[in-house]
Amino acid sequence: MIATTVIGIAGALLGGWVASKVFHVTNIQGFFNISTWITAIMGAVVLLGAVKLVTGRGSAGSSPRRNARH
């Protein structure tokens, strides 16, 4: 859970950086502005998805059970 949080925060920062470079956004408007939240969330989602693709790991609850016979 801590690793996912750190990756999400890094993704939010990455989203802000990409927005400034690609869309020429010079200033994110502030904490309560919707564009700031959308940028942060999209960056976090992209980075978390990339990490999941690279590592091949899903959430802890999604792994198949071994020896499912009872």
Side-chain angles (χ1 to χ4, degrees):
M1 187 165 73
I2 293 172
T4 301
T5 302
V6 170
I7 293 168
I9 291 169
L13 294 172
L14 179 65
W17 181 80
V18 168
S20 69
K21 298 298 180 189
V22 173
F23 302 115
H24 305 292
V25 175
T26 56
N27 185 12
I28 299 296
Q29 299 300 317
F31 184 78
F32 293 107
N33 189 317
I34 191 69
S35 64
T36 301
W37 281 91
I38 290 172
T39 302
I41 290 169
M42 291 305 295
V45 166
V46 168
L47 189 58
L48 285 167
V51 168
K52 183 177 178 180
L53 283 174
V54 170
T55 61
R57 292 174 29 184
S59 64
S62 66
S63 61
R65 292 177 52 180
R66 294 184 187 186
N67 300 327
R69 294 182 222 165
H70 290 83

